[in-house]
Every structure is written in C-alpha cells, then in structure tokens.
Amino acid sequence: METSSIDEIRHAFDEALKSVEHKKDLQDLKVEYLGKKGKVTGLMKEMKNLSEEDKPVYGQKVNEVRTHIQGIIDDTLEKFENEALEAQLKAETIDVSLPGRRFQLGSPHPLSRTIEDIEDFFIGLGYRVAEGYEVETDYYNFEALNLPKSHPARDMQDTFYFSDEILLRTHTSPVQVRTMRSEKGGGPVKIICPGKVYRRDSDDATHSHQFTQIEGLVVDENIRMSDLKGTLQLFAKEIFGPDREIRLRPSYFPFTEPSVEVDISCFNCRGAGCSVCKDSGWIEILGAGMVHPNVLEMAGFDPDKFSGFAFGMGPDRVAMLKYGIEDIRNFYTNDIRFINQFKPTEDGGVHNESI
Ligand code: PHE
C-alpha cells in the first residue's frame, strides 16, 4: 500500500473542508472519512495486506491522518456550536433597561358596577333578579299598570311606539306584571329587575333617551308601607353611607296607592345645603308606593288577601351622585378615558368614589 494514497486522502479531506458551511456538512464529512465504511477506516483495513516491517510505518501515518481529521472535525464542530450559541444569545438578549410593555386592564363600567352593587344588596335581602323585555306591549307597559288608553298620566312618559300596541318600554314596571302573572296568584313575590328603558327625551346633561332602571316588587300577605320604608332606609345606608336618612313625600303613580317620592339626606353637605342637593339638604332618588289593588287584581292576585310594595329607581342617577358624574351622556358615549377613571381599588372599592 502506497503511503501516497494516505496523503491523497488527507489532501482530499482538507479540500472538502473548505466547502463545509454547516454542521450537517461536517457530519457528512465525518462519516465519509471516519465512519465504518469511511476512507480512513478503509486505509486501516489495508494493514492486513502489508508486510510486517511496513505495518508500523503505515499504521503510524494512517493514525496521524486520523488524528488530523478527527481534530479538525472536533474543532470545527465546536466552532459551529459556539457560533450557534452566540447567535441564539444575541437573538434572545433581554434588554432589562427597556420599558415594559403596557397592556390595558379593563374596568367595569360605572353603571354596571352600580347596578351590581344594588343587586347584591337586594339579593342579600332575599330578592330574586327578574328580567323582562325591552320591546313591550302597550298592555304590560301601561294598561296592566292601571293606565288605560286614555289615561292622562301616560303623558308622564314620552313613549317610542313601533305600532299602536308595540313600544319600547318606558319603565321596568311591566316586569312587575309579568312576574306576578307567572306566579299565578300565589305569593310571595320578591324581585328586583334591572334593565334598559327608553323615553322620547332630548338628550342633555341629565336626560338620555335610553337609560336604566331597577324595579323592585314585594307581594305577600300583610306587606305594609313600613316594610317599604324599612327596606329603602337600609338601601340608602348601604349605597350612600351609614349616616343617610330617607324622607318620603306624597306623590302620584297610577300603579301604586299611596305613592311616594323618596329622598335621601345629602351625603355631600350632610343637610347643610350644597350644589348636589340644590341647597335643600335632600336628594330625590326613587319613586315607590303600595301596589294598587287594580294592578294586583289584573295580575291575578286577590287584593283582599295580598298586598305589596314597589319601587323604581334610576342607577344612572345613583351612579352620577355616587361618583360625582355631571353628564349622563358619559355613560353611553363609551369614551375609554371616562371608563378608565373607575378602576377597582384593591379593597374592592372604586377610584373616584365620592362616598
Ligand atoms: N315606574 C315609575 C317610573 O318610571 C317608577 C315607579 C316604580 C314608581 C314602581 C312606583 C313604583 O317613573
């Protein structure tokens, strides 16, 4: 065996190395030269054909080539691996001085939050949350509430009509009737109903053609005006602060008799007079009364056996008072800067709470 073929193989390897660009090329080269059927391995297999005196010289030369090739492959492999690591480190570099990425945390709409607070309070008193329809019939919105077609009090609520009989509900009171009917004349009924209502008002700082109401209704045997008063007193303290008092003023609603308007003592000036209470010391927050016997009867309840109270309040107004919001339209224009002012605080309250 000629030692020149050993040199040729060495030379061929050195040449082939020049075109190695990737780790994979190197691995192929390694197999080609040092693998089981590789070129250097082939040289070793030739040993058996040599004379005893040639063997050591030949063996030494082949070993040299093998060490040479193995060394280069190891070094180049290490070089490739280092380069890959460098590139990865570079790609994954974290610049700890970069400002963090901000992501927007949502916050409950102040109106939703107010409705939920009010719901929680009444659920705590054993009320159930009922729902009705925003598109109603004239019958449920008016007639069954003791407001026959020609009743002048219909003018109290400017109505959006789809037809003579179909309208957008002007208040949540139709849910009273629907709930009583579904109870089929048997008490007790104890519900609140939050929802959207619609009136043909021109929008301004205190009016919106669409706003929210929460209706309350309790019907059972022996329900008295004092039950209504006690309930609303608790409500005022829960929502507006423990020192609040309420005041009932005689009023008129066709579906309640007697009817009252309910005021709370001003949480801002505590009765001294300020702009929130228009110097009266009192703030009107809801309408209420004892369910009219006609309403009970039309809904299938015996007015000689059952009595009840009902109230209707506007969460828009409650939220405006509570958070010092001056324009009702803020609730409906969806300006994120407005809503962001009402982020929940860690103690479960809300930034901007004025009470
Ligand atoms: N439905 C009345 C309104 O919208 C409020 C109300 C509800 C009054 C229940 C008395 C009893 O003005």
Side-chain angles (χ1 to χ4, degrees):
M1 184 73 197
E2 298 277 330
T3 53
S4 64
S5 68
I6 301 177
D7 292 335
E8 270 166 32
I9 286 177
R10 181 185 175 131
H11 185 68
F13 173 80
D14 290 344
E15 278 304 304
L17 190 67
K18 289 180 187 159
S19 51
V20 164
E21 283 179 14
H22 304 289
K23 196 172 160 183
K24 171 86 173 63
D25 305 335
L26 195 68
Q27 278 158 346
D28 291 347
L29 209 58
K30 185 174 176 182
V31 172
E32 193 183 334
Y33 284 84
L34 304 179
K36 262 192 191 149
K37 290 179 186 161
K39 291 180 177 163
V40 176
T41 321
L43 290 174
M44 294 295 270
K45 285 181 189 153
E46 295 293 330
M47 285 271 270
K48 60 180 185 298
N49 305 326
L50 297 181
S51 65
E52 283 307 312
E53 87 197 51
D54 284 346
K55 269 186 190 170
V57 185
Y58 180 83
Q60 196 190 346
K61 273 216 111 178
V62 175
N63 269 340
E64 270 172 33
V65 172
R66 201 182 39 201
T67 313
H68 169 73
I69 292 178
Q70 184 74 58
I72 287 179
I73 285 177
D74 288 348
D75 290 351
T76 316
L77 197 63
E78 199 180 319
K79 192 184 102 198
F80 280 148
E81 277 170 0
N82 282 340
E83 277 171 10
L85 188 66
E86 286 290 316
Q88 192 184 0
L89 283 175
K90 206 168 168 196
E92 291 177 2
T93 304
I94 295 171
D95 181 352
V96 289
S97 67
L98 270 180
R101 250 176 236 157
R102 282 172 179 270
F103 51 94
Q104 294 275 333
L105 255 194
S107 46
H109 191 285
L111 205 47
S112 314
R113 201 183 158 102
T114 304
I115 291 172
E116 271 171 31
D117 287 348
I118 298 173
E119 277 178 2
D120 284 350
F121 168 74
F122 282 105
I123 288 168
L125 292 185
Y127 286 63
R128 178 170 71 78
V129 178
E131 281 191 357
Y133 303 108
E134 287 172 35
V135 176
E136 260 299 358
T137 59
D138 182 276
Y139 177 77
Y140 282 106
N141 196 78
F142 291 125
E143 272 186 61
L145 289 163
N146 206 25
L147 274 147
K149 281 248 152 61
S150 55
H151 200 291
R154 282 190 176 215
D155 296 343
M156 284 163 78
Q157 302 175 355
D158 268 328
T159 311
F160 286 114
Y161 282 97
F162 293 105
S163 68
D164 284 351
E165 293 302 324
I166 311 288
L167 46 82
L168 283 172
R169 70 177 176 195
T170 54
H171 51 180
T172 42
S173 300
V175 188
Q176 288 187 30
V177 181
R178 288 190 176 276
T179 309
M180 281 192 275
R181 285 198 152 204
S182 69
E183 298 293 327
K184 300 202 169 17
V189 177
K190 211 170 168 187
I191 54 144
I192 53 160
C193 164
K196 294 193 187 86
V197 299
Y198 302 83
R199 288 192 198 172
R200 260 178 39 191
D201 259 332
S202 306
D203 293 0
D204 62 25
T206 53
H207 295 87
S208 169
H209 61 281
Q210 179 237 287
F211 57 103
T212 60
Q213 275 194 342
I214 296 183
E215 190 83 7
L217 173 72
V218 174
V219 178
D220 203 352
E221 294 175 29
N222 297 319
I223 298 293
R224 292 166 305 186
M225 190 87 177
S226 52
D227 297 316
L228 170 65
K229 189 173 178 189
T231 304
L232 296 179
Q233 193 124 38
L234 272 178
F235 163 77
K237 290 180 188 297
E238 171 74 17
I239 300 295
F240 291 101
D243 306 332
R244 296 291 75 72
E245 294 300 331
I246 61 166
R247 175 175 86 168
L248 307 188
R249 280 181 292 114
S251 184
Y252 171 76
F253 297 105
F255 28 91
T256 46
E257 181 59 36
S259 301
V260 287
E261 302 269 3
V262 183
D263 301 336
I264 54 162
S265 56
C266 183
F267 51 81
N268 192 41
C269 63
R270 294 174 193 276
C274 69
S275 63
V276 176
C277 60
K278 300 200 179 79
D279 283 330
S280 70
W282 295 93
I283 303 169
E284 186 190 322
I285 52 159
L286 52 85
M290 301 307 289
V291 182
H292 197 292
N294 288 355
V295 174
L296 287 172
E297 198 160 7
M298 277 188 276
F301 277 74
D302 178 357
D304 292 329
K305 192 171 166 212
F306 286 96
S307 55
F309 66 73
F311 56 84
M313 70 177 89
D316 300 64
R317 185 159 158 74
V318 173
M320 285 171 84
L321 290 168
K322 208 169 153 148
Y323 302 121
I325 296 162
E326 276 162 9
D327 194 323
I328 192 173
R329 292 168 292 195
N330 282 327
F331 292 134
Y332 302 107
T333 43
N334 286 331
D335 186 332
I336 194 78
R337 291 167 304 178
F338 169 73
I339 298 169
N340 273 343
Q341 293 174 60
F342 302 93
K343 297 248 188 249
T345 53
E346 273 173 16
D347 64 0
V350 176
H351 286 297
N352 257 20
E353 214 156 24
S354 56
I355 302 159

